[in-house]
């Protein structure tokens, strides 16, 4: 048997989670640099500074990460004096900011800690960076051996963030269960992969139970129990699952029809600029279920999508059947479908889309 070690990102959650910074970061040094989005750092700055005021941790500088997670952006940050002098990196913000910090961390061999200020994806806890080209188009997936040393989730900050981020996070997260469970079907699984596959159900069940109330509380800026449960499903559960079921390229169960559908539609002009990733993926789950013959489950998730305002038809995401047909060749070649229990064809996608439009 091959030896392996599984390292999952630990986390602190709640309105006072930043108070734990000295306890968990002091083991890695005293000098930190904060890298993130402008709005994210503005939202988190006062709490971060207050949490370290009586400790020996010093913030060297607050550095804007840029516009996109690109290899060029990471190299530019690595040339910063503050980044070079820091013992550790505090990654603050959404997926692109955090993923950029991961690239910097691995290049400079510095530990990083994440501070998600929105709940739209699992970047804060996953061992993966989604890298783009300078023009905003997709470039590459970069996998890491380790995730963040610690994730600090301030639910008060997230509750005050725009509601659409949580909305997109719900669609992207509940897709994880259906994509993983189909991709891993019939496989003989190592312990850690079996753990990830079984854990993936929580990505769906938690959001079905708490998603609608979490969105309502987010719109009112309330850091409720329901919001916290939804946020943990999006940021932590999904990140852990993603890491557990993707230990190498030949045994990666993360992908599926829902994500292939989104990336295929990105061939349409400015589609990715005008559509939130998770919202479209939430519709892609319905296609996945129909293609997989799970019509009763599809009907159940249609009702869930309606309850949280996620799309249930092509018109809800502003595309036509003709536009989908123009993108299906790309969809079926997407790497999210490379490890699937059967071949997904263009005809399957079109037939499922027609059924949903009816």
């Amino acid at each position: 048997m091959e030896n392996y070690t599984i390292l999952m990102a630990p986390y602190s959650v709640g309105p006072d989670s930043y108070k734990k910074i000295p306890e968990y970061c002091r083991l890695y040094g005293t000098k930190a640099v904060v890298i993130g989005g402008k709005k994210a750092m503005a939202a988190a700055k006062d709490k971060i500074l207050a949490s370290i005021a009586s400790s020996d941790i010093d913030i060297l500088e607050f550095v804007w990460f840029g516009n996109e997670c690109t290899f060029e952006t990471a190299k530019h940050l690595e040339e910063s004096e503050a980044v070079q002098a820091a013992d550790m990196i505090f990654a603050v913000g959404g997926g692109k900011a955090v993923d950029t910090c991961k690239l910097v961390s691995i290049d400079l061999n510095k530990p990083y800690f994440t501070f998600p200020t929105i709940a739209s994806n699992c970047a804060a806890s996953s061992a993966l960076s989604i890298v783009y080209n300078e023009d905003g188009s997709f470039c590459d997936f970069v996998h890491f051996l380790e995730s963040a040393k610690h994730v600090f989730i301030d639910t008060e900050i997230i509750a005050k963030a725009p509601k659409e981020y949580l909305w997109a996070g719900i669609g992207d997260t509940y897709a994880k269960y259906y994509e993983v469970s189909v991709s891993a079907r019939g496989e003989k699984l190592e312990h850690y992969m079996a753990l990830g596959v079984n854990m993936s159900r929580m990505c769906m069940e938690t959001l079905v139970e708490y998603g609608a109330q979490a969105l309502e509380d987010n719109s009112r800026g309330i850091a409720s129990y329901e919001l916290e449960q939804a946020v943990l499903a999006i940021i932590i559960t999904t990140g852990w699952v993603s890491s557990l079921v993707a230990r190498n390229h030949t045994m990666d169960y993360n992908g599926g029809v829902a994500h292939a559908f989104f990336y295929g539609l990105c061939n349409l002009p400015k589609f990715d600029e005008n559509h939130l990733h998770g919202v479209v993926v939430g519709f892609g789950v319905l296609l996945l279920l129909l293609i997989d013959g799970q019509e009763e489950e599809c009907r159940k998730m249609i009702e869930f999508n309606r309850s949280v305002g996620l799309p249930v038809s092509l018109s809800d995401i502003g595309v036509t059947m003709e536009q989908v047909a123009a993108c299906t060749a790309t969809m079926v070649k997407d790497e999210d479908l490379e490890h699937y229990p059967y071949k997904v064809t263009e005809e399957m996608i079109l037939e499922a889309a027609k059924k949903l439009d009816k």
Side-chain angles (χ1 to χ4, degrees), residues 102-120:
K102 294 175 188 176
L103 297 177
V104 175
S105 169
I106 196 70
D107 283 349
L108 299 183
N109 194 29
K110 295 180 186 286
Y112 73 96
F113 300 80
T114 58
F115 300 76
T117 55
I118 57 176
S120 63

Side-chain angles (χ1 to χ4, degrees), residues 257 286-294 342 344-345 348-349 352:
V257 168
L286 306 181
L287 294 174
L288 177 156
L289 292 171
L290 285 180
I291 290 171
D292 200 52
Q294 300 186 53
Y342 50 83
V344 177
T345 66
M348 288 178 178
I349 295 172

Side-chain angles (χ1 to χ4, degrees), residues 6-13 102 112 114 121-128 143-153 173 176 180 191-203 231-247 252-254:
I6 306 298
L7 298 171
M8 310 305 294
Y11 67 91
S12 298
V13 62
K102 294 175 188 176
Y112 73 96
T114 58
N121 56 62
C122 64
S125 67
S126 68
L128 166 75
H143 293 270
F144 305 93
L145 293 177
E146 295 185 34
S147 50
K149 295 299 183 183
H150 201 92
V151 185
F152 298 94
I153 306 170
T173 296
K176 182 63 66 179
V180 167
H191 170 267
Y192 60 87
M193 285 196 166
L195 182 65
V197 171
N198 283 280
M199 190 189 299
S200 71
R201 177 174 285 275
M202 291 179 63
C203 297
V231 167
L232 288 173
I234 294 166
I235 295 176
I236 298 298
T237 310
T238 310
W240 286 2
V241 170
S242 295
S243 297
L244 288 168
V245 302
R247 304 310 296 181
D252 187 344
Y253 305 127
N254 274 304

